[in-house]
């Protein structure tokens, strides 16, 4: 049903859209203003007592959202004799605390400040003596008020999802999130990365539910009250933050790697697609085991998908927990390729070696966990999908790091930060992964992987830091790496590299002038420079040691191309002063993904002047072997560039009809419907609507909307029930322009359930339909959702822009005689303006 015209909506629409598109997503780990916390040296925690074994017996109160626990924790002094013990225990009621010896409990004296238990032991224990405490307690995670961060948005450790079944369509679940130091919100422990303990967890749950924890399922016991007690045992030591539990209605798909269990836990609706989602896991385990020379070190590997997860995923030992974005039907996954979900799956698996088997000694050394997991995404892409896919992933990660100016001031290993959560940023992840990739290139793959294997074997079931990594790589390679680690691990920033070229015809000399313009010292940069001349490539291995360096070579003739950083491996922000003709040669001959991308980007800039060489590059890129570069070319060839578009049109039509990649085909369809004669391609849009690909159907629907909005609106209504991914975005887009009250529930529900990036993508359409709906109730739902988005990301500068949007929306709602919404906007603005 077509909504009635709303004159107020369209009066403000342009302004609303402009403001909404100015919103950018928060960058994880953005730098915070200087504060006293940054002056504190974050030392590795002293080891006074060591955890040895942790035994837990837990039950859950779904109504109160409490955990009732009993714990038997065994410890011993690390080296020096001690008569006291400190345990982290956040927000608990401590019912009983006693020494446990031969079944006998002896009460101990302690003090408790709601965060820490300080316990006086019954005697002074020597380093050879073990002792066991018994603690009965109640954990109350929903009553905790703890500072979290951007990467992990909550710190209460234990989560009850829809425990009273009031949210329709949402399952009842319990799950835990221990990183950073949140395991101590559901059991007392020494909540530090440099502690390792074996564990045993017995969970008593409603018998209808499935449980998962670390290690092996040792026993299951049915109880008379309709519950069941599952006991899980972890017989190899690992850190407390890696403890996990999950409880809920999950279907288990059983797979294996060699003789080890590999299981996938999914909601029943997604259980039929378990193999599609996770089925490549054994292949990845095999690949990582081979390159590292260390077989997957645990007795099983499980992956579970939960609702309302507070981060991307978590590498709990033997049992990774994923947010629900990784799951999808076979149709959804067909549009995803090497997406966030698949890259997260391999990222978390690599942590089973780097993070779990060998754990960062402190959060300051987080790089030995997260940089490796970040690198692993590139390694798998390269191995499974080819060099272009690996290089594309590496390049995108590099740009992510470079895009946040706050990153350049942070060391990779750093002992000063406001909150340990601040370590989870583009430096520990994307920069660290690129640093390791440079190291792999410098040492060679064989030496690099062998060095990683030595690091793992030397520090197995213990802790590591950057120095131990350096020593292992030096031992294998025979190379001194102090300069590399001092520069990239214990220093900040990256080079700003300017590259100029000069050919002297008289002396037949080619010069390359390299200049680093960043503040501070020069970066030492070993690099390959490839010289293309007379149909041959000559590689020069050079070092740049100073801020400015001029390199010269005598040649027979002017080279066709001098390609600095021939492996495209350097972590740098680069200005490369090649001519367009040289970029065209680079596109045709240098061959790497970044070589071709650089040529395409140069052509994009030059195509505004209708440069024929730029046109050649972009036309050639329409048939590039890698799909992302085909999309780049399609998006660069706009109808506004009439001559270029006319040249490209035959290939665009062919691509829109036949390209093997769903995303490329959808991009080509979008290009056609933005042309000056979109009606000529009506059959292509109609054919797209028959596709199994959500991306292609979405593009076809958008093309139809250009020609016939009422028809597109009706088609959108028919497609609502089976819409995912890009099709959902297309439907929301159409509703944002043509929708009203009848379309609101679909738009609202999809906005509420979307991840932050998808919310951002939907923002303009979401605002538009808020401006269109007649119902004050619907408008109020939207206003509150916008306000909540602004509050959630307030620390990242989003709130002022949200306030602008709301203020622009107010006269629209007032003009519709909706004073309720206008008042709600005023109230929301006040909340957003609070410090």
């Amino acid at each position: 049903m077509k909504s009635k015209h709303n004159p107020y909506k369209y009066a403000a629409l342009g302004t609303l859209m402009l403001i909404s598109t100015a919103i950018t997503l928060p960058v994880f780990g953005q730098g915070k203003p200087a504060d006293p916390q940054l002056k504190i040296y974050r030392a590795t925690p002293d080891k006074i007592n060591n955890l040895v074994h942790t035994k837990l017996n837990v039950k859950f109160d779904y109504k109160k959202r409490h955990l009732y626990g009993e714990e038997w924790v065994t410890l011993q002094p690390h080296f020096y004799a001690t008569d006291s013990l400190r345990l982290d225990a956040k927000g608990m009621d401590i019912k009983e605390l006693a020494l446990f010896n031969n079944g006998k409990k002896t009460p101990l004296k302690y003090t408790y400040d709601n965060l820490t238990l300080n316990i006086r032991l019954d005697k002074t224990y020597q380093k050879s003596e073990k002792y066991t405490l018994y603690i009965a307690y109640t954990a109350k995670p929903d009553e905790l008020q703890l500072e979290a961060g951007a990467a992990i948005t909550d710190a209460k450790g234990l989560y009850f999802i829809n425990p009273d079944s009031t949210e329709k369509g949402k399952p009842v679940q319990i799950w835990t999130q221990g990183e950073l130091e949140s395991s101590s919100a559901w059991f007392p422990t020494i909540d530090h990365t440099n502690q390792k303990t074996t564990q045993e967890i017995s969970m008593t749950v409603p018998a209808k539910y499935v449980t998962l924890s670390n290690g092996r399922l040792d026993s299951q016991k049915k109880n008379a009250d309709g519950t069941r007690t599952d006991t899980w045992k972890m017989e190899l030591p690992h850190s407390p933050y890696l403890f996990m539990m999950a409880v809920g209605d999950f279907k288990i798909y059983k797979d294996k790697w060699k003789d080890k269990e590999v299981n996938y836990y999914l909601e029943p609706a997604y259980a039929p697609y378990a193999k599609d989602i996770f089925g490549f896991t054994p292949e990845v385990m095999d690949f990582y085991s081979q390159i590292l020379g260390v077989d997957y070190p645990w007795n099983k590997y499980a992956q579970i998908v939960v609702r309302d997860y507070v981060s991307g995923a978590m590498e709990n030992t033997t049992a990774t927990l994923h947010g629900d974005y990784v799951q999808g039907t076979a149709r959804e996954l067909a549009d995803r390729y090497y997406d966030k979900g698949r890259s997260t799956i391999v990222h978390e698996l690599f942590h089973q070696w780097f993070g779990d088997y060998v754990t960062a000694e402190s959060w300051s050394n987080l790089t030995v966990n997260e940089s490796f997991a970040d690198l692993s995404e590139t390694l798998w892409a390269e191995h499974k999908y080819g060099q272009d896919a690996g290089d594309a992933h590496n390049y995108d990660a590099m740009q992510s790091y470079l895009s946040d100016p706050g990153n350049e001031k942070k060391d990779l290993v750093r002992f000063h930060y406001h909150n340990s959560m601040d370590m989870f940023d583009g430096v520990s992840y994307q920069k660290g992964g690129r640093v390791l990739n440079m190291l792999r290139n410098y040492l060679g793959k064989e030496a690099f992987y062998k060095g990683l294997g030595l690091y793992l074997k030397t520090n197995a079931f213990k802790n590591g830091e950057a120095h131990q990594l350096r020593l292992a790589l030096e031992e294998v390679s025979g190379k001194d790496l102090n300069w590399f680690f001092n520069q990239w691990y214990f220093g900040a920033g990256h080079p700003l590299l300017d590259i100029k070229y000069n050919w002297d015809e008289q002396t037949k000399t080619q010069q390359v002038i390299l200049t680093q313009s960043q503040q501070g010292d020069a970066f030492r940069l070993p690099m390959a420079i490839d010289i293309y001349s007379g149909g041959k490539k000559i590689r020069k291995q050079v070092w740049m040691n100073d801020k400015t360096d001029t390199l010269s070579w005598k040649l027979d003739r002017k080279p066709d191309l001098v390609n600095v950083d021939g492996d495209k491996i350097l972590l740098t922000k680069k200005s490369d002063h090649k001519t367009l003709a040289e970029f065209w040669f680079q596109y045709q001959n240098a061959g790497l993904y970044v070589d071709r991308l650089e040529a395409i980007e140069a052509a994009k800039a030059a195509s505004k002047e209708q440069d024929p060489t730029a046109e050649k590059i972009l036309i050639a890129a329409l048939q590039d072997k890698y799909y992302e570069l085909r999309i780049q070319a399609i998006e660069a060839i706009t109808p506004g560039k009439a001559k270029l578009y006319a040249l490209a049109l035959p290939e665009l039509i062919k691509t829109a009809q036949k390209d093997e990649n769903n995303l490329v085909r959808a991009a080509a369809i979008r290009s056609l419907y933005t042309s000056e004669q979109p009606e000529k391609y009506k059959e292509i849009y109609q054919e797209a609507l028959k596709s199994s690909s959500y991306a292609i159907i979405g593009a076809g629907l958008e093309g139809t909307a250009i020609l016939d909005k009422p028809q597109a609106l009706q088609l959108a209504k028919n497609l609502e029930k089976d819409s995912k991914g890009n099709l959902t975005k297309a439907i929301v887009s159409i509703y944002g322009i043509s929708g009203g009250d009848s379309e609101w529930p679909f738009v609202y529900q999809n906005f509420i359930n979307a991840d932050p990036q998808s919310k951002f993508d939907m923002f303009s359409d979401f605002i538009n339909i808020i401006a269109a709906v007649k119902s004050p109730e619907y408008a109020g739902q939207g206003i509150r959702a916008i306000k909540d988005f602004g509050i959630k990301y307030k620390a990242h500068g989003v709130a002022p822009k949200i306030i602008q949007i709301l203020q622009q929306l107010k006269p629209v709602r007032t003009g519709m005689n909706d004073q309720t919404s206008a008042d709600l906007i005023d109230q929301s603005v006040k909340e957003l303006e609070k410090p």
Side-chain angles (χ1 to χ4, degrees):
M1 180 179 173
K2 183 179 179 182
S3 60
K4 293 184 179 179
H5 178 66
N6 175 359
Y8 300 102
K9 170 187 174 182
Y10 293 101
L13 182 59
T15 306
L16 290 171
M17 290 185 71
L18 283 172
I19 294 172
S20 67
T21 53
I23 291 177
T24 54
L25 274 180
V27 177
F28 284 172
Q30 281 184 327
K32 294 185 178 181
D35 63 46
Q37 297 281 73
L38 296 178
K39 296 180 181 179
I40 301 171
Y41 172 70
R42 308 291 181 174
T44 299
D46 288 342
K47 289 184 177 181
I48 299 171
N49 289 280
N50 287 343
L51 295 171
V52 177
H53 182 68
T54 304
K55 180 180 177 181
L56 300 171
N57 186 359
V58 301
K59 299 178 181 179
F60 305 99
D61 188 325
Y62 283 78
K63 184 176 181 180
K64 292 182 179 179
R65 306 188 185 202
H66 287 176
L67 175 150
Y68 303 123
E70 291 183 290
E71 176 176 21
W72 295 262
V73 57
T74 301
L75 308 101
Q76 70 183 110
H78 179 73
F79 185 83
Y80 301 104
T82 183
D83 62 357
S84 62
L85 168 67
R86 174 196 167 280
L87 293 177
D88 300 294
K90 298 183 176 75
M92 298 178 182
D93 291 337
I94 304 300
K95 305 296 185 181
E96 184 179 1
L97 194 155
L99 186 74
F100 187 84
N101 189 9
N102 293 324
K104 180 183 177 182
K105 290 188 283 189
T106 304
L108 295 174
K109 293 182 180 179
Y110 67 92
T111 60
Y112 182 47
D113 62 4
N114 212 44
L115 292 174
T116 304
L117 281 165
N118 288 291
I119 303 163
R120 177 65 60 186
L121 300 175
D122 63 319
K123 68 169 191 172
T124 298
Y125 285 85
Q126 304 300 317
K127 65 180 179 180
S128 59
E129 294 180 284
K130 295 178 183 177
Y131 59 92
T132 299
L133 300 188
Y134 170 82
I135 306 172
Y137 64 96
T138 300
K140 303 177 292 183
D142 279 26
E143 299 169 35
L144 279 174
Q145 297 290 328
L146 297 171
E147 183 177 1
I152 302 173
T153 58
D154 200 289
K156 61 185 181 183
L158 176 67
Y159 298 81
F160 289 83
I161 306 303
N162 198 22
D164 45 13
S165 301
T166 55
E167 296 183 65
K168 187 178 179 181
K170 179 178 283 189
V172 176
Q173 296 176 349
I174 295 172
W175 46 264
T176 61
Q177 165 59 34
E179 195 172 46
L180 296 136
E181 296 173 0
S182 297
S183 286
S184 49
W186 60 276
F187 67 96
T189 189
I190 304 175
D191 209 352
H192 297 151
T193 64
N194 63 350
Q195 288 286 334
K196 298 268 183 168
T197 172
T198 54
Q199 77 181 62
E200 177 180 330
I201 301 180
S202 295
M203 288 179 267
T204 298
V205 301
K208 62 182 177 180
Y209 291 141
V210 167
T211 70
L212 176 65
S213 187
N214 315 90
R216 64 182 176 87
L217 181 58
D218 181 65
S219 65
Q220 293 187 298
K221 176 188 173 185
K222 290 184 178 180
N223 304 313
D225 60 357
T227 65
R228 189 187 70 250
T229 300
D230 292 355
T231 298
W232 293 83
K233 291 186 176 180
M234 182 72 187
E235 290 150 327
L236 295 172
H238 67 145
S239 293
Y241 79 92
L242 297 166
F243 280 39
M244 75 83 68
M245 298 186 297
V247 183
D249 181 15
F250 299 102
K251 298 296 182 184
I252 307 172
Y253 182 96
K254 295 188 176 182
D255 208 342
K256 67 177 182 178
W257 177 73
K258 296 186 176 180
D259 60 344
K260 296 185 178 183
E261 288 184 14
V262 177
N263 298 330
Y264 318 130
Y265 292 66
L266 291 150
E267 292 178 33
Y270 283 96
Y273 311 106
K275 194 76 170 175
D276 300 291
I277 299 165
F278 291 120
F280 64 101
T281 300
E283 186 183 356
V284 187
M285 295 171 76
D286 203 55
F287 171 62
Y288 288 164
S289 296
Q290 286 180 22
I291 64 172
L292 296 172
V294 176
D295 273 0
Y296 177 78
W298 311 103
N299 65 335
K300 73 118 191 282
Y301 188 56
Q303 294 177 89
I304 188 167
V305 181
V306 301
R307 292 288 189 98
D308 297 349
Y309 187 49
V310 294
S311 187
M314 181 61 207
E315 66 275 11
N316 310 297
T317 315
T318 77
T320 287
L321 190 146
H322 290 284
D324 59 7
Y325 68 89
V326 304
Q327 66 191 5
T329 65
R331 277 185 75 186
E332 289 177 82
L333 295 170
D335 286 344
R336 292 187 186 173
Y337 303 97
Y338 191 54
D339 68 333
K340 179 183 175 185
R342 288 187 175 98
S343 63
T344 298
I345 288 168
V346 303
H347 175 115
E348 303 306 330
L349 178 51
F350 208 65
H351 269 310
Q352 298 295 317
W353 286 267
F354 290 90
D356 298 2
Y357 190 54
V358 181
T359 307
E361 192 169 50
S362 69
W363 300 121
S364 294
N365 267 282
L366 182 64
T367 179
V368 298
N369 288 10
E370 294 301 347
S371 299
F372 277 105
D374 188 272
L375 173 69
S376 75
E377 300 172 28
T378 294
L379 301 183
W380 176 249
E382 183 183 290
H383 170 77
K384 181 64 177 178
Y385 303 106
Q387 186 70 44
D388 279 351
D391 289 350
H393 198 83
N394 185 70
Y395 181 84
D396 290 346
M398 187 183 300
Q399 298 314 304
S400 176
Y401 157 73
L402 292 172
S403 67
D404 183 356
N407 286 337
E408 64 189 37
K409 298 176 182 178
K410 302 175 185 176
D411 298 346
L412 184 50
V413 176
R414 54 190 184 273
F415 292 90
H416 296 85
Y417 45 75
H418 172 87
N419 181 298
S420 51
M421 180 55 70
D422 296 342
M423 290 296 299
F424 289 73
D425 60 8
V427 178
S428 294
Y429 284 73
Q430 287 86 1
K431 179 180 181 177
R434 310 298 65 77
V435 167
L436 287 169
N437 207 30
M438 286 192 294
L439 196 50
R440 181 175 70 133
N441 181 265
Y442 174 67
L443 295 176
K445 292 180 182 179
E446 184 180 355
F448 179 73
Y449 293 140
K450 190 172 182 181
L452 300 192
L454 178 61
Y455 166 82
L456 290 170
K457 292 168 187 173
T458 303
N459 302 291
F461 305 112
K462 296 187 291 187
N463 297 90
E465 58 180 47
H467 291 296
Q468 290 162 313
L469 175 63
R470 173 182 60 82
L471 291 170
L473 291 166
E474 285 182 337
E475 181 174 338
V476 167
S477 69
K479 291 179 178 290
D480 172 75
L481 294 174
N482 269 298
W483 67 273
F484 187 95
F485 277 75
N486 288 339
Q487 175 172 283
W488 290 112
Y489 279 84
F490 304 105
H494 51 269
L496 305 179
L497 185 62
D498 185 82
I499 308 167
K500 292 185 174 69
Y501 308 90
N502 181 51
W503 169 254
D504 189 321
E505 179 64 31
Q506 186 174 356
T507 61
K508 303 291 185 187
T509 302
Q510 176 67 54
Q511 286 186 328
V512 176
I513 302 98
L514 303 174
T515 305
Q516 296 181 33
S517 60
Q518 75 279 356
Q519 293 183 349
D521 296 335
F523 281 78
R524 293 185 68 191
L525 302 176
M527 70 180 83
I529 297 182
D530 294 332
I531 301 171
Y532 293 80
S533 182
K536 296 180 179 179
K537 181 180 84 171
I538 302 168
R539 170 156 288 198
K540 305 288 186 179
Q541 296 288 354
V542 302
W543 286 72
M544 183 181 186
N545 295 313
D546 301 306
K547 279 290 193 78
T548 300
D549 203 351
T550 300
L551 307 171
S552 301
W553 296 280
K554 293 281 188 179
L555 302 172
D556 295 335
R557 48 166 284 184
K558 185 179 187 302
D560 300 297
L561 174 70
V562 177
N563 198 18
V564 175
D565 184 22
D567 291 324
K568 294 296 178 282
I569 205 76
L570 292 180
L571 174 55
T572 177
K573 189 172 283 188
K574 181 172 64 175
S575 299
D576 198 341
H577 300 279
K578 293 187 177 86
T579 66
L580 208 54
E582 288 168 331
F583 275 120
W584 174 225
F585 186 93
Q586 178 173 309
Y587 182 88
Q588 293 175 296
N589 296 278
L592 293 178
Y593 167 85
V594 177
D595 289 316
R596 299 181 340 260
L597 176 63
E598 287 176 348
I600 291 169
E601 290 179 339
K604 281 184 191 177
S607 65
K608 296 174 185 177
E609 286 76 41
Q610 297 187 347
D611 186 291
T613 304
E615 292 172 353
K616 282 195 291 187
I617 293 171
L618 292 175
I619 294 295
L622 287 174
Q623 299 182 62
D624 195 278
K625 62 180 180 176
Y626 190 61
Y627 78 95
E628 288 186 12
L629 294 184
R630 297 203 296 281
I631 293 173
Q632 288 260 8
I634 290 167
E635 293 177 346
I637 300 172
T638 61
K641 301 169 184 175
K643 179 189 170 190
L644 176 58
Y645 195 81
L647 288 170
L649 192 54
E651 188 63 34
L652 288 171
I653 293 171
K654 178 182 172 184
T655 301
Q657 294 172 319
K658 297 180 179 179
D659 198 279
E660 64 183 6
N661 185 284
N662 295 340
L663 302 183
V664 175
R665 192 174 158 197
I669 294 168
R670 286 194 295 271
S671 177
L672 294 179
Y673 72 61
T674 59
S675 69
E676 292 182 359
Q677 296 178 297
E679 67 279 359
K680 290 177 66 175
Y681 313 108
K682 182 177 180 179
E683 290 184 6
I684 292 177
Y685 314 147
Q686 291 176 337
E687 189 63 28
L689 291 169
K690 301 174 186 175
S691 173
S692 63
S693 162
Y694 291 121
I696 294 171
I697 298 172
L701 183 61
E702 290 166 349
T704 303
I706 297 294
L707 305 181
D708 189 338
K709 286 184 174 60
Q711 182 191 5
L713 188 63
Q714 186 56 52
L715 284 169
K717 294 295 288 184
N718 295 338
L719 290 166
E720 267 190 21
K721 288 184 180 178
D722 185 15
S723 71
K724 302 285 185 181
N726 288 325
L727 176 55
T728 299
K729 290 178 185 177
I731 293 173
V732 169
S733 178
I734 287 166
Y735 289 171
I737 295 170
S738 304
D741 289 54
S742 60
E743 289 73 40
W744 172 256
F746 179 85
V747 175
Y748 177 68
Q749 202 57 49
N750 276 283
F751 185 85
I752 291 298
N753 292 336
D755 60 47
Q757 180 62 56
S758 297
K759 275 189 171 73
F760 169 69
D761 293 342
M762 295 166 61
F763 226 94
S764 293
D765 300 311
F766 190 60
I767 294 161
N768 292 343
I769 197 166
I770 296 171
V773 293
K774 293 181 179 180
S775 165
E777 179 187 351
Y778 288 167
Q781 288 177 340
I783 291 162
R784 281 187 286 271
I786 293 172
K787 176 203 70 178
D788 292 343
F789 184 90
I791 289 174
K792 186 170 185 178
Y793 297 110
K794 197 173 192 177
H796 305 276
V798 169
K801 294 169 186 176
I802 298 293
I803 290 170
Q804 284 181 284
I805 290 170
L806 291 171
Q807 289 172 338
Q808 291 289 337
L809 186 60
K810 182 179 176 180
V812 179
R813 299 307 306 179
T814 303
M816 299 171 70
N817 298 315
D818 179 9
Q819 191 59 41
T820 301
S821 293
D823 292 342
L824 180 59
I825 287 171
D826 289 338
Q827 179 185 336
S828 299
V829 168
K830 287 180 182 178
E831 289 185 49
L832 287 161
E833 287 176 337
K834 288 179 183 177

